[in-house]
Amino acid sequence: MSEITTDVVSHLANLARIALTPEEIATLSGELGAILDNVAKVSEVATPDVPATSHPIPLFNVFRPDVAGETLTAAQALAGAPEHDGARFKVSAILGEEQ
């Protein structure tokens, strides 16, 4: 197991300005050590003949033509609104008068 001591975790927490309890430091030292061990295992099998991947399945974008279709009229769009003024949706103000 990689040597991630409680002193190292405490130092890193201090650099990141994160307040940790002694219990959290102890827990994180074990968890970070396990993470480093797993990274080391992956590094052992990652050879130059194995290409690096960001995703196990190839991804590609699916595009469709941008064709204008049927849209709602203003009346249809406003029909389901809780409040409207005939041409626009009415919403409650959420910001102060400074806007």
Coordinates of all heavy atoms in Angstrom, one line a residue:
M1 N 0.8 -1.2 0.0 CA 0.0 0.0 0.0 C 0.9 1.2 0.0 O 1.9 1.3 0.6 CB -0.9 0.0 1.2 CG -1.9 1.1 1.3 SD -3.2 0.7 2.4 CE -3.7 2.4 2.8
S2 N 0.5 2.3 -0.7 CA 1.2 3.5 -0.8 C 1.2 4.2 0.6 O 0.2 4.1 1.3 CB 0.6 4.4 -1.9 OG 0.7 3.8 -3.1
E3 N 2.2 4.9 0.8 CA 2.3 5.5 2.1 C 1.7 6.9 2.1 O 2.4 7.9 1.8 CB 3.8 5.6 2.5 CG 4.3 5.3 3.9 CD 3.3 4.6 4.8 OE1 3.0 3.4 4.6 OE2 2.9 5.2 5.8
I4 N 0.5 7.0 2.4 CA -0.2 8.3 2.6 C -0.5 8.4 4.1 O -1.4 7.7 4.6 CB -1.5 8.4 1.8 CG1 -1.3 8.2 0.3 CG2 -2.3 9.7 2.1 CD1 -0.6 9.4 -0.3
T5 N 0.4 9.1 4.8 CA 0.2 9.2 6.2 C -0.8 10.3 6.6 O -1.2 11.1 5.8 CB 1.6 9.6 6.8 OG1 2.0 10.9 6.4 CG2 2.7 8.6 6.5
T6 N -1.1 10.3 7.9 CA -2.1 11.3 8.4 C -1.4 12.7 8.3 O -2.1 13.7 8.1 CB -2.5 11.0 9.8 OG1 -1.3 10.8 10.6 CG2 -3.3 9.7 9.9
D7 N -0.1 12.7 8.4 CA 0.6 14.0 8.3 C 0.5 14.6 6.8 O 0.3 15.8 6.7 CB 2.1 13.9 8.6 CG 2.3 13.6 10.1 OD1 1.4 14.0 10.9 OD2 3.4 13.0 10.5
V8 N 0.6 13.7 5.8 CA 0.4 14.1 4.5 C -1.0 14.6 4.2 O -1.2 15.7 3.6 CB 0.8 12.9 3.5 CG1 0.4 13.3 2.1 CG2 2.3 12.6 3.6
V9 N -2.0 13.9 4.7 CA -3.4 14.3 4.5 C -3.6 15.6 5.2 O -4.2 16.5 4.7 CB -4.3 13.2 5.0 CG1 -5.8 13.7 5.0 CG2 -4.2 12.0 4.2
S10 N -3.1 15.8 6.4 CA -3.3 17.0 7.2 C -2.6 18.2 6.4 O -3.2 19.3 6.3 CB -2.6 16.9 8.6 OG -2.8 18.0 9.3
H11 N -1.4 17.9 5.9 CA -0.7 19.0 5.1 C -1.5 19.4 3.9 O -1.7 20.6 3.6 CB 0.7 18.5 4.7 CG 1.4 19.5 3.9 ND1 1.9 20.7 4.3 CD2 1.8 19.4 2.6 CE1 2.5 21.3 3.4 NE2 2.5 20.6 2.3
L12 N -2.0 18.4 3.1 CA -2.8 18.7 1.9 C -4.1 19.4 2.3 O -4.5 20.4 1.6 CB -3.1 17.4 1.2 CG -1.9 16.7 0.5 CD1 -2.3 15.4 -0.1 CD2 -1.3 17.6 -0.6
A13 N -4.7 19.0 3.4 CA -6.0 19.7 3.8 C -5.6 21.2 4.2 O -6.4 22.1 3.8 CB -6.6 19.0 5.0
N14 N -4.5 21.4 4.8 CA -4.1 22.7 5.1 C -3.9 23.6 3.9 O -4.3 24.7 3.8 CB -2.9 22.7 6.0 CG -2.5 24.1 6.5 OD1 -3.3 24.9 6.9 ND2 -1.2 24.4 6.5
L15 N -3.2 23.0 2.9 CA -2.9 23.7 1.6 C -4.2 24.1 0.9 O -4.4 25.1 0.3 CB -2.1 22.9 0.7 CG -0.6 22.7 1.2 CD1 0.1 21.7 0.2 CD2 0.1 24.0 1.2
A16 N -5.2 23.1 1.0 CA -6.5 23.4 0.4 C -7.5 24.1 1.2 O -8.6 24.4 0.8 CB -7.1 22.0 0.0
R17 N -7.0 24.5 2.4 CA -7.8 25.2 3.4 C -9.1 24.5 3.7 O -10.2 25.1 3.7 CB -8.1 26.6 2.9 CG -6.9 27.4 2.6 CD -6.9 28.8 3.0 NE -5.9 29.8 2.7 CZ -4.6 29.6 2.5 NH1 -4.1 28.4 2.6 NH2 -3.8 30.6 2.3
I18 N -9.0 23.2 4.0 CA -10.1 22.3 4.3 C -9.9 21.9 5.8 O -8.9 21.3 6.1 CB -10.2 21.1 3.4 CG1 -10.4 21.5 1.9 CG2 -11.3 20.2 3.9 CD1 -10.3 20.3 1.0
A19 N -10.9 22.2 6.6 CA -10.8 21.8 8.0 C -11.3 20.3 8.1 O -12.4 20.0 7.8 CB -11.7 22.7 8.8
L20 N -10.4 19.5 8.6 CA -10.7 18.1 8.8 C -10.5 17.7 10.2 O -9.6 18.1 10.9 CB -9.8 17.2 7.9 CG -9.9 17.3 6.4 CD1 -8.9 16.5 5.7 CD2 -11.3 16.9 5.9
T21 N -11.4 16.8 10.7 CA -11.3 16.2 12.0 C -10.2 15.1 12.0 O -9.9 14.6 10.9 CB -12.6 15.6 12.5 OG1 -12.9 14.5 11.7 CG2 -13.7 16.7 12.5
P22 N -9.7 14.8 13.1 CA -8.7 13.7 13.2 C -9.3 12.4 12.6 O -8.6 11.6 11.9 CB -8.4 13.5 14.6 CG -8.6 14.9 15.2 CD -9.8 15.4 14.4
E23 N -10.6 12.1 12.8 CA -11.2 10.9 12.2 C -11.2 11.0 10.7 O -11.0 10.0 10.0 CB -12.6 10.7 12.8 CG -12.7 10.5 14.3 CD -12.6 11.7 15.1 OE1 -12.9 12.8 14.6 OE2 -12.1 11.6 16.3
E24 N -11.6 12.2 10.2 CA -11.6 12.3 8.7 C -10.2 12.2 8.1 O -10.0 11.6 7.0 CB -12.2 13.7 8.3 CG -13.7 13.8 8.6 CD -14.2 15.3 8.5 OE1 -13.4 16.2 8.8 OE2 -15.3 15.4 8.0
I25 N -9.2 12.7 8.8 CA -7.8 12.6 8.3 C -7.4 11.1 8.3 O -6.8 10.6 7.3 CB -6.9 13.4 9.2 CG1 -7.1 14.9 9.0 CG2 -5.4 13.0 8.9 CD1 -6.4 15.8 9.9
A26 N -7.8 10.4 9.3 CA -7.4 8.9 9.3 C -8.1 8.2 8.2 O -7.5 7.3 7.5 CB -7.8 8.3 10.7
T27 N -9.4 8.5 8.0 CA -10.2 7.8 7.0 C -9.6 8.1 5.6 O -9.4 7.2 4.7 CB -11.7 8.2 7.0 OG1 -12.2 7.9 8.3 CG2 -12.5 7.6 5.9
L28 N -9.3 9.4 5.4 CA -8.8 9.8 4.1 C -7.5 9.3 3.8 O -7.1 9.0 2.6 CB -8.8 11.4 4.0 CG -10.2 12.0 3.7 CD1 -10.1 13.5 3.9 CD2 -10.7 11.6 2.4
S29 N -6.6 9.1 4.8 CA -5.3 8.6 4.5 C -5.4 7.1 4.0 O -4.7 6.8 3.1 CB -4.4 8.6 5.8 OG -4.9 7.8 6.8
G30 N -6.3 6.4 4.5 CA -6.5 5.0 4.0 C -7.1 5.0 2.6 O -6.7 4.3 1.7
E31 N -8.1 5.9 2.4 CA -8.8 6.0 1.1 C -7.8 6.5 0.0 O -7.8 5.9 -1.1 CB -10.0 6.8 1.2 CG -11.1 6.2 2.0 CD -12.3 7.2 2.2 OE1 -12.3 8.3 1.8 OE2 -13.3 6.7 2.7
L32 N -7.1 7.5 0.3 CA -6.1 8.0 -0.7 C -5.0 7.0 -1.0 O -4.6 6.9 -2.1 CB -5.5 9.3 -0.2 CG -6.5 10.5 -0.2 CD1 -5.8 11.7 0.5 CD2 -7.0 10.9 -1.6
G33 N -4.6 6.3 0.0 CA -3.6 5.2 -0.2 C -4.2 4.1 -1.1 O -3.5 3.7 -2.0
A34 N -5.4 3.8 -1.0 CA -6.0 2.8 -1.8 C -6.1 3.3 -3.3 O -5.9 2.5 -4.2 CB -7.4 2.4 -1.3
I35 N -6.5 4.6 -3.4 CA -6.5 5.1 -4.8 C -5.2 5.1 -5.4 O -5.1 4.7 -6.6 CB -7.1 6.6 -4.7 CG1 -8.6 6.6 -4.3 CG2 -6.9 7.3 -6.0 CD1 -9.1 7.9 -3.9
L36 N -4.1 5.5 -4.7 CA -2.8 5.4 -5.3 C -2.4 4.0 -5.7 O -1.7 3.8 -6.7 CB -1.8 6.1 -4.3 CG -1.8 7.6 -4.2 CD1 -0.8 8.1 -3.3 CD2 -1.7 8.3 -5.6
D37 N -2.8 3.0 -4.8 CA -2.4 1.7 -5.2 C -3.1 1.2 -6.5 O -2.5 0.6 -7.3 CB -2.9 0.7 -4.0 CG -2.0 0.8 -2.8 OD1 -0.9 1.4 -2.9 OD2 -2.4 0.4 -1.7
N38 N -4.4 1.6 -6.7 CA -5.1 1.3 -7.9 C -4.5 2.0 -9.1 O -4.4 1.4 -10.2 CB -6.6 1.6 -7.7 CG -7.3 0.6 -6.8 OD1 -7.0 -0.6 -6.9 ND2 -8.2 1.1 -6.0
V39 N -4.1 3.2 -8.9 CA -3.4 3.9 -10.1 C -2.1 3.2 -10.4 O -1.8 3.1 -11.6 CB -3.2 5.4 -9.7 CG1 -2.3 6.1 -10.7 CG2 -4.5 6.2 -9.6
A40 N -1.4 2.7 -9.4 CA -0.1 2.0 -9.7 C -0.4 0.7 -10.4 O 0.3 0.4 -11.3 CB 0.6 1.7 -8.4
K41 N -1.5 0.0 -10.1 CA -1.8 -1.2 -10.8 C -2.2 -0.9 -12.3 O -1.7 -1.7 -13.2 CB -3.0 -1.9 -10.1 CG -2.7 -2.6 -8.8 CD -4.0 -3.2 -8.2 CE -3.7 -3.7 -6.8 NZ -4.9 -4.2 -6.2
V42 N -2.9 0.1 -12.5 CA -3.2 0.5 -13.9 C -2.0 0.9 -14.6 O -1.8 0.5 -15.8 CB -4.3 1.7 -13.9 CG1 -4.5 2.2 -15.3 CG2 -5.6 1.2 -13.4
S43 N -1.1 1.6 -14.0 CA 0.2 2.0 -14.6 C 1.0 0.8 -15.0 O 1.8 0.8 -16.0 CB 1.0 2.9 -13.7 OG 0.3 4.1 -13.5
E44 N 0.9 -0.3 -14.3 CA 1.7 -1.5 -14.6 C 1.2 -2.1 -15.9 O 2.1 -2.6 -16.7 CB 1.5 -2.5 -13.5 CG 2.2 -2.2 -12.2 CD 1.9 -3.2 -11.1 OE1 1.3 -4.2 -11.3 OE2 2.3 -2.9 -9.9
V45 N 0.0 -2.1 -16.2 CA -0.5 -2.7 -17.4 C -0.7 -1.8 -18.6 O -0.8 -2.2 -19.7 CB -1.9 -3.4 -17.2 CG1 -1.8 -4.5 -16.2 CG2 -3.0 -2.4 -16.7
A46 N -0.6 -0.5 -18.3 CA -0.6 0.5 -19.4 C 0.7 0.5 -20.1 O 1.7 1.0 -19.6 CB -1.0 1.9 -18.8
T47 N 0.8 -0.1 -21.3 CA 2.0 -0.2 -22.0 C 1.9 0.7 -23.3 O 0.8 1.0 -23.7 CB 2.3 -1.6 -22.4 OG1 1.2 -2.1 -23.2 CG2 2.5 -2.5 -21.2
P48 N 3.0 1.0 -23.9 CA 2.9 1.8 -25.2 C 2.0 1.2 -26.3 O 1.5 1.9 -27.1 CB 4.4 1.9 -25.6 CG 5.2 1.6 -24.4 CD 4.4 0.7 -23.6
D49 N 1.9 -0.2 -26.3 CA 1.1 -0.8 -27.4 C -0.4 -0.8 -27.0 O -1.2 -1.2 -27.9 CB 1.6 -2.2 -27.6 CG 1.5 -3.1 -26.4 OD1 1.7 -2.6 -25.3 OD2 1.3 -4.3 -26.5
V50 N -0.8 -0.3 -25.9 CA -2.2 -0.2 -25.5 C -2.6 1.3 -25.7 O -2.1 2.2 -25.0 CB -2.5 -0.6 -24.1 CG1 -3.9 -0.4 -23.7 CG2 -2.1 -2.1 -23.9
P51 N -3.5 1.6 -26.7 CA -3.8 3.0 -26.9 C -4.6 3.6 -25.7 O -5.4 2.9 -25.1 CB -4.6 3.0 -28.2 CG -5.2 1.6 -28.3 CD -4.2 0.7 -27.6
A52 N -4.4 4.9 -25.4 CA -5.1 5.5 -24.4 C -6.5 5.8 -24.9 O -6.7 6.1 -26.0 CB -4.4 6.8 -24.0
T53 N -7.5 5.6 -24.0 CA -8.9 5.9 -24.3 C -9.5 6.8 -23.3 O -9.2 6.7 -22.1 CB -9.7 4.6 -24.4 OG1 -9.7 3.9 -23.2 CG2 -9.2 3.7 -25.5
S54 N -10.5 7.5 -23.7 CA -11.3 8.3 -22.8 C -12.6 7.7 -22.5 O -13.3 8.0 -21.6 CB -11.5 9.7 -23.3 OG -12.2 9.7 -24.5
H55 N -13.0 6.7 -23.4 CA -14.3 6.1 -23.2 C -14.1 4.7 -23.9 O -13.5 4.5 -24.9 CB -15.4 6.9 -24.0 CG -16.7 6.5 -23.5 ND1 -17.4 5.5 -24.1 CD2 -17.6 7.1 -22.6 CE1 -18.6 5.4 -23.5 NE2 -18.7 6.3 -22.6
P56 N -14.7 3.6 -23.2 CA -14.5 2.3 -23.8 C -15.3 2.0 -25.1 O -14.9 1.1 -25.8 CB -15.1 1.4 -22.7 CG -16.0 2.2 -21.9 CD -15.4 3.6 -22.0
I57 N -16.3 2.8 -25.4 CA -17.0 2.7 -26.6 C -16.9 3.9 -27.4 O -17.0 5.0 -26.9 CB -18.6 2.4 -26.3 CG1 -18.7 1.2 -25.4 CG2 -19.4 2.3 -27.6 CD1 -20.1 1.1 -24.8
P58 N -16.5 3.8 -28.7 CA -16.4 5.0 -29.6 C -17.6 5.8 -29.6 O -18.7 5.3 -29.7 CB -16.1 4.4 -30.9 CG -15.7 3.0 -30.7 CD -16.3 2.5 -29.5
L59 N -17.5 7.1 -29.4 CA -18.6 8.0 -29.4 C -18.6 8.9 -30.7 O -17.5 9.2 -31.2 CB -18.5 8.9 -28.2 CG -18.6 8.3 -26.8 CD1 -18.4 9.3 -25.7 CD2 -19.9 7.6 -26.6
F60 N -19.7 9.2 -31.1 CA -19.8 10.1 -32.3 C -21.1 10.9 -32.2 O -22.1 10.5 -31.6 CB -19.7 9.4 -33.6 CG -20.8 8.3 -33.8 CD1 -22.0 8.6 -34.4 CD2 -20.6 7.0 -33.3 CE1 -23.0 7.6 -34.5 CE2 -21.5 6.0 -33.4 CZ -22.8 6.3 -34.0
N61 N -21.1 12.1 -32.8 CA -22.3 12.9 -32.8 C -23.3 12.5 -33.8 O -22.9 12.1 -34.9 CB -21.9 14.4 -33.0 CG -21.3 15.0 -31.8 OD1 -21.5 14.6 -30.7 ND2 -20.4 15.9 -32.0
V62 N -24.5 12.5 -33.5 CA -25.6 12.2 -34.5 C -26.3 13.5 -34.8 O -26.9 14.1 -33.9 CB -26.6 11.2 -33.9 CG1 -27.7 10.9 -34.9 CG2 -25.9 9.9 -33.5
F63 N -26.2 13.9 -36.0 CA -26.8 15.1 -36.4 C -28.0 14.9 -37.3 O -28.1 13.9 -38.0 CB -25.8 16.0 -37.2 CG -24.6 16.4 -36.4 CD1 -23.4 15.8 -36.6 CD2 -24.7 17.4 -35.5 CE1 -22.3 16.2 -35.9 CE2 -23.6 17.8 -34.8 CZ -22.4 17.2 -35.0
R64 N -29.0 15.8 -37.2 CA -30.1 15.7 -38.1 C -30.2 17.1 -38.8 O -29.7 18.1 -38.3 CB -31.4 15.4 -37.3 CG -31.8 16.5 -36.3 CD -33.2 16.3 -35.7 NE -33.5 17.2 -34.7 CZ -33.8 18.5 -34.8 NH1 -33.9 19.0 -36.0 NH2 -34.0 19.2 -33.8
P65 N -30.9 17.1 -39.9 CA -31.0 18.4 -40.6 C -31.8 19.4 -39.7 O -32.8 19.0 -39.0 CB -31.8 18.1 -41.8 CG -31.8 16.6 -42.0 CD -31.5 16.0 -40.6
D66 N -31.5 20.6 -39.7 CA -32.2 21.6 -39.0 C -33.3 22.2 -39.8 O -33.1 23.1 -40.6 CB -31.2 22.7 -38.6 CG -31.8 23.7 -37.6 OD1 -32.9 23.4 -37.0 OD2 -31.2 24.8 -37.4
V67 N -34.4 21.6 -39.7 CA -35.6 21.9 -40.5 C -36.7 22.5 -39.6 O -37.0 21.9 -38.6 CB -36.1 20.7 -41.3 CG1 -37.4 21.0 -42.1 CG2 -35.1 20.1 -42.1
A68 N -37.2 23.7 -40.0 CA -38.2 24.3 -39.2 C -39.5 23.4 -39.3 O -39.8 22.9 -40.4 CB -38.5 25.7 -39.7
G69 N -40.1 23.2 -38.1 CA -41.3 22.4 -38.1 C -42.5 23.2 -37.6 O -42.4 24.4 -37.5
E70 N -43.5 22.4 -37.2 CA -44.7 23.1 -36.7 C -44.4 23.6 -35.3 O -43.8 22.9 -34.5 CB -45.8 22.0 -36.6 CG -47.2 22.6 -36.7 CD -48.2 21.5 -36.8 OE1 -48.1 20.6 -37.7 OE2 -49.2 21.5 -36.0
T71 N -44.8 24.8 -35.1 CA -44.6 25.4 -33.7 C -45.9 25.9 -33.2 O -46.9 26.0 -33.9 CB -43.7 26.6 -33.8 OG1 -44.2 27.6 -34.7 CG2 -42.3 26.2 -34.4
L72 N -45.9 26.2 -31.9 CA -47.1 26.7 -31.2 C -47.4 28.2 -31.6 O -46.4 28.9 -31.7 CB -47.0 26.6 -29.7 CG -46.8 25.2 -29.1 CD1 -46.6 25.3 -27.6 CD2 -48.1 24.3 -29.4
T73 N -48.6 28.5 -31.6 CA -48.9 29.9 -31.8 C -48.8 30.6 -30.4 O -48.7 29.8 -29.4 CB -50.4 30.1 -32.2 OG1 -51.3 29.6 -31.2 CG2 -50.6 29.4 -33.5
A74 N -48.7 31.9 -30.3 CA -48.6 32.5 -29.0 C -49.8 32.2 -28.1 O -49.6 31.9 -26.9 CB -48.6 34.0 -29.2
A75 N -51.0 32.1 -28.6 CA -52.1 31.7 -27.8 C -52.0 30.3 -27.3 O -52.4 30.0 -26.1 CB -53.4 31.9 -28.7
Q76 N -51.5 29.4 -28.1 CA -51.4 28.0 -27.7 C -50.3 27.9 -26.6 O -50.5 27.2 -25.6 CB -51.0 27.1 -28.8 CG -52.1 26.9 -29.8 CD -51.5 26.1 -31.1 OE1 -50.4 26.4 -31.5 NE2 -52.4 25.2 -31.6
A77 N -49.2 28.7 -26.7 CA -48.1 28.6 -25.7 C -48.6 29.2 -24.4 O -48.3 28.7 -23.3 CB -46.9 29.4 -26.3
L78 N -49.4 30.3 -24.5 CA -49.9 31.0 -23.3 C -51.0 30.3 -22.6 O -51.4 30.5 -21.5 CB -50.2 32.4 -23.6 CG -49.1 33.3 -24.0 CD1 -49.6 34.6 -24.5 CD2 -48.1 33.5 -22.9
A79 N -51.7 29.3 -23.3 CA -52.9 28.7 -22.8 C -52.6 27.9 -21.5 O -53.5 27.9 -20.6 CB -53.5 27.7 -23.9
G80 N -51.4 27.3 -21.4 CA -51.2 26.6 -20.2 C -50.4 27.3 -19.1 O -50.1 26.8 -18.0
A81 N -50.2 28.6 -19.3 CA -49.5 29.4 -18.4 C -50.4 29.8 -17.2 O -51.5 30.2 -17.4 CB -48.9 30.7 -19.0
P82 N -49.8 29.8 -16.0 CA -50.6 30.2 -14.8 C -51.1 31.7 -14.9 O -52.1 32.1 -14.5 CB -49.7 30.0 -13.6 CG -48.5 29.3 -14.1 CD -48.5 29.3 -15.6
E83 N -50.2 32.5 -15.5 CA -50.5 34.0 -15.7 C -49.8 34.4 -16.9 O -48.7 34.0 -17.3 CB -49.9 34.8 -14.5 CG -50.7 34.7 -13.2 CD -50.1 35.8 -12.3 OE1 -50.3 37.0 -12.5 OE2 -49.5 35.4 -11.3
H84 N -50.6 35.3 -17.6 CA -50.0 36.0 -18.8 C -50.7 37.3 -19.0 O -51.8 37.5 -18.5 CB -50.1 35.0 -20.1 CG -51.5 34.7 -20.5 ND1 -52.3 35.5 -21.2 CD2 -52.2 33.6 -20.2 CE1 -53.5 34.9 -21.4 NE2 -53.5 33.7 -20.8
D85 N -50.1 38.1 -19.9 CA -50.8 39.4 -20.1 C -51.3 39.5 -21.5 O -51.5 40.6 -22.1 CB -49.8 40.6 -19.8 CG -48.7 40.6 -20.8 OD1 -48.6 39.8 -21.8 OD2 -47.8 41.5 -20.7
G86 N -51.5 38.4 -22.1 CA -52.1 38.3 -23.5 C -51.0 38.1 -24.5 O -51.2 37.5 -25.6
A87 N -49.8 38.6 -24.3 CA -48.7 38.4 -25.3 C -47.4 37.8 -24.6 O -46.6 37.3 -25.4 CB -48.3 39.8 -25.9
R88 N -47.3 37.8 -23.3 CA -46.1 37.3 -22.6 C -46.5 36.5 -21.4 O -47.6 36.8 -20.8 CB -45.2 38.5 -22.2 CG -44.7 39.3 -23.4 CD -43.9 40.4 -22.8 NE -44.8 41.3 -22.2 CZ -44.9 42.6 -22.4 NH1 -44.2 43.2 -23.3 NH2 -45.8 43.4 -21.8
F89 N -45.6 35.7 -20.9 CA -45.8 35.0 -19.6 C -45.5 36.0 -18.6 O -44.7 36.9 -18.7 CB -44.7 33.9 -19.5 CG -44.9 32.7 -20.5 CD1 -44.1 32.6 -21.6 CD2 -45.9 31.8 -20.3 CE1 -44.2 31.6 -22.4 CE2 -46.0 30.7 -21.2 CZ -45.2 30.6 -22.2
K90 N -46.3 36.0 -17.5 CA -46.1 36.8 -16.3 C -45.4 35.9 -15.2 O -45.9 34.9 -14.9 CB -47.4 37.4 -15.8 CG -47.9 38.5 -16.6 CD -49.3 39.0 -16.1 CE -49.0 40.1 -15.1 NZ -50.3 40.7 -14.6
V91 N -44.3 36.4 -14.7 CA -43.7 35.7 -13.6 C -43.4 36.7 -12.5 O -43.3 37.9 -12.6 CB -42.3 35.1 -14.1 CG1 -42.5 34.0 -15.1 CG2 -41.4 36.2 -14.6
S92 N -43.3 36.1 -11.3 CA -43.0 36.9 -10.1 C -41.6 37.4 -10.2 O -40.7 36.7 -10.6 CB -43.2 36.1 -8.8 OG -44.5 35.6 -8.8
A93 N -41.4 38.6 -9.7 CA -40.0 39.2 -9.6 C -39.3 38.4 -8.5 O -39.8 38.1 -7.5 CB -40.1 40.6 -9.2
I94 N -38.0 38.0 -8.9 CA -37.2 37.3 -7.9 C -36.0 38.1 -7.5 O -35.3 37.8 -6.6 CB -36.7 36.0 -8.5 CG1 -35.9 36.2 -9.8 CG2 -37.9 35.0 -8.7 CD1 -35.2 35.0 -10.3
L95 N -35.8 39.2 -8.2 CA -34.7 40.1 -7.8 C -35.3 41.4 -7.2 O -36.4 41.8 -7.5 CB -33.8 40.5 -9.0 CG -33.2 39.2 -9.7 CD1 -32.4 39.7 -11.0 CD2 -32.2 38.5 -8.8
G96 N -34.4 42.1 -6.5 CA -34.9 43.4 -5.9 C -35.1 44.5 -7.0 O -34.9 44.2 -8.2
E97 N -35.4 45.7 -6.6 CA -35.6 46.8 -7.5 C -34.3 47.3 -8.1 O -34.4 48.2 -9.0 CB -36.4 47.9 -6.8 CG -37.8 47.5 -6.4 CD -38.5 48.6 -5.7 OE1 -38.2 49.8 -5.9 OE2 -39.4 48.3 -5.0
E98 N -33.2 46.8 -7.7 CA -31.9 47.3 -8.2 C -31.7 46.9 -9.7 O -30.7 47.4 -10.3 CB -30.7 46.9 -7.4 CG -30.4 45.4 -7.4 CD -31.3 44.6 -6.4 OE1 -32.1 45.2 -5.7 OE2 -31.1 43.4 -6.5
Q99 N -32.4 46.1 -10.3 CA -32.2 45.6 -11.6 C -32.5 46.6 -12.6 O -33.1 47.3 -13.1 CB -32.8 44.3 -11.9 CG -34.3 44.2 -11.6 CD -34.9 42.9 -12.0 OE1 -34.3 42.2 -12.8 NE2 -36.0 42.5 -11.4

